[in-house]
Amino acid sequence: MAAASAAAGPWVRRAGAQGAPVKIGLVLPYTGVYAVLGESITQAMELVFARENWTVAGRKIEMIKEDDEMKPPVGIRKTEKLIDSDKVDILTGPVHSGILMGMRDKVHNSKTILIVSNAGADAISRERCSRWIFRTSFSNWQPCQPMGGWVAKNVSKEVFQIAPNYQAGKDMMAAFRETFVPAGGKVVAEDYPKLGETDYAPYLTKIKQSGAKAVFAFFSGSDAVNFVKQYDQFGLKQSIKLTGAGFLTEPDVLPAQGSSALGVVTGHFYTPLLDNPTNQRFVKEFRDKFGGKMPDGFACQGYDTAEVIVRALKAVNGNTQDKDKLVEVIAKLEFDSPRGRFRFDQKTHNVIQPFIYVREVKEVAGGINNVPIDKVADVKDPGTGCTLPA
Ligand code: PHB
């Protein structure tokens, strides 16, 4: 019996029997500046798996959560533990671009399927891509490139750029410039405070003295709370328009930012106000399950990550041993996500954003939220040259 079931593989569903659990490893920040992001991603994954009664194609779903503490060496160590000791079937996470870059070779060389649920490092859709890596979130380029031309046309041609001093900040500011400069925009100055800065006063002084008419910023988690509140308290909000990447004013931070966030204009692939039926159901179920909490883009990413896992497992009837087949199946998945129709770019395995919305923070029914005021369709990372080597 044991020999027979081993030959058939642990995934085969027999009447009244269950295969071995599918182990999903999560490398996410549960402490530090981005802890709220890790929480939203995890919650939405749990929502989807609970809908499936934590069983797909006859196999239990087991989530193994590891806190990367936002430190690349910790994230890499946790990745090794999940791959080598826990022998996870599928890996997800991380949030931090630097951690993703650090994980990449281990994932690629061990042929572990990684579904990136946040970190946007552009290189993973370009020179550092891997056929084993999919991304359900975004590349850092995606929410920012469309904003450059939009800000030049609709806000100002004199901009100060500011973001935390690491890869995601650099990627996003460069993406903005790609369309801002050709539209006649001038970057008056730029600055890169450390990730986790708590006192932005020196930077706000520089912004004030720069003569810029607008700011384009990327901050997230507690950095976004501190920056947006201090920007308002410093008295810059009325005179220098604050714009940025959507993460700056997502619902994970909006309640803490309060009225300081009103009027901020950002680019993002999601807002809980989208009126498609999948999103309406998602917002309702998420709020019911998590004490009224409004889902943010990170929750949408967690939803899509879990949805990809569930659909892929069903398509292969629970067989996670044939990884080439699993990669092939994942690449071809298409479904209705809260953000719109979800599909992967076949060349890069990065999600094609159905839309990037230009959103303005306004007071609406249900509280302060990101209201779409413009949009660009089918935003695909320009990483076309990657051949996804084996
Ligand atoms: C990243 O490091 O890639 C990153 C982190 C937080 C965000 C977006 C991107 O909100």
Side-chain angles (χ1 to χ4, degrees):
M1 179 65 205
S5 71
W11 58 87
V12 174
R13 192 204 314 227
R14 284 156 287 134
Q18 259 189 352
V22 179
K23 292 188 188 175
I24 318 278
L26 285 72
V27 180
L28 287 172
Y30 294 112
T31 50
V33 177
Y34 293 159
V36 284
L37 286 67
E39 181 179 76
S40 283
I41 292 168
T42 306
Q43 288 172 329
M45 289 182 77
E46 287 171 349
L47 180 77
V48 173
F49 292 142
R51 183 194 72 198
E52 303 291 326
N53 293 319
W54 293 91
T55 307
V56 181
R59 295 181 67 183
K60 277 247 168 272
I61 300 289
E62 187 185 320
M63 282 185 15
I64 307 176
K65 300 177 208 170
E66 293 291 345
D67 184 2
D68 63 31
E69 301 169 28
M70 305 240 335
K71 297 177 188 134
V74 177
I76 293 162
R77 204 169 64 234
K78 298 289 176 75
T79 300
E80 288 167 352
K81 179 234 174 218
L82 288 166
I83 293 174
D84 298 332
S85 308
D86 297 319
K87 305 206 182 313
V88 295
D89 296 290
I90 294 174
L91 198 61
T92 72
V95 159
H96 184 301
S97 275
I99 295 181
L100 174 57
M101 295 307 288
M103 290 166 67
R104 189 264 175 207
D105 283 352
K106 174 70 188 175
V107 167
H108 181 75
N109 295 334
S110 62
K111 304 189 175 188
T112 305
I113 294 175
L114 167 64
I115 305 177
V116 179
S117 53
N118 187 78
D122 289 337
I124 292 296
S125 298
R126 302 179 191 178
E127 68 275 12
R128 301 288 288 149
C129 70
S130 161
R131 65 188 300 259
W132 305 104
I133 303 180
F134 293 86
R135 184 155 49 193
T136 51
S137 49
F138 52 84
S139 71
N140 289 326
W141 183 92
Q142 285 176 308
C144 297
Q145 188 266 5
M147 287 300 287
W150 196 91
V151 168
K153 180 160 177 256
N154 299 288
V155 182
S156 171
K157 291 192 169 54
E158 291 160 82
V159 163
F160 193 111
Q161 294 197 294
I162 184 161
N165 190 12
Y166 79 111
Q167 186 159 0
K170 297 288 169 66
D171 279 354
M172 292 195 209
M173 297 302 112
F176 174 88
R177 288 195 296 273
E178 271 185 31
T179 55
F180 180 66
V181 174
K186 183 170 181 293
V187 177
V188 175
E190 58 190 302
D191 218 334
Y192 296 91
K194 71 170 195 287
L195 183 61
E197 177 58 74
T198 51
D199 179 10
Y200 290 100
Y203 302 96
L204 298 169
T205 304
K206 279 196 212 167
I207 291 171
K208 191 173 180 177
Q209 291 169 350
S210 72
K213 303 284 188 308
V215 165
F216 184 79
F218 157 61
F219 290 104
S220 190
S222 58
D223 280 359
V225 174
N226 290 327
F227 184 79
V228 169
K229 286 187 79 158
Q230 291 174 28
Y231 195 89
D232 182 24
Q233 285 155 4
F234 209 78
L236 295 185
K237 215 176 96 151
Q238 312 314 328
S239 48
I240 308 177
K241 184 78 172 171
L242 182 54
T243 72
F247 319 104
L248 188 63
T249 57
E250 277 298 281
D252 61 324
V253 292
L254 275 176
Q257 291 167 339
S259 61
S260 291
L262 287 173
V264 178
V265 173
T266 62
H268 208 30
F269 62 82
Y270 181 72
T271 159
L273 304 179
L274 296 181
D275 65 2
N276 70 71
T278 307
N279 185 51
Q280 283 165 343
R281 195 176 339 112
F282 172 56
V283 171
K284 181 175 182 318
E285 289 176 2
F286 190 90
R287 299 194 77 182
D288 286 350
K289 193 172 167 82
F290 301 110
K293 175 180 166 178
M294 190 64 87
D296 42 44
F298 312 110
C300 177
Q301 297 158 198
Y303 177 100
D304 289 338
T305 300
E307 195 68 51
V308 163
I309 292 170
V310 166
R311 284 170 185 265
L313 288 174
K314 285 181 180 170
V316 298
N317 197 26
N319 178 357
T320 47
Q321 305 297 97
D322 187 345
K323 291 192 190 167
D324 284 308
K325 178 78 190 157
L326 203 49
V327 164
E328 206 179 294
V329 161
I330 294 173
K332 295 270 147 50
L333 287 175
E334 266 197 39
F335 56 90
D336 288 327
S337 149
R339 78 180 90 184
R341 192 79 186 153
F342 186 100
R343 64 201 163 103
F344 288 111
D345 179 346
Q346 300 303 302
K347 292 208 176 78
T348 61
H349 287 176
N350 188 55
V351 56
I352 298 172
Q353 307 296 349
F355 291 100
I356 291 295
Y357 299 91
V358 181
R359 318 160 317 164
E360 184 170 0
V361 179
K362 296 185 187 177
E363 193 105 51
V364 288
I368 293 176
N369 220 320
N370 292 291
V371 180
I373 55 174
D374 208 346
K375 63 182 177 185
V376 181
D378 292 330
V379 179
K380 188 161 127 181
D381 188 273
T384 53
C386 181
T387 52
L388 300 172

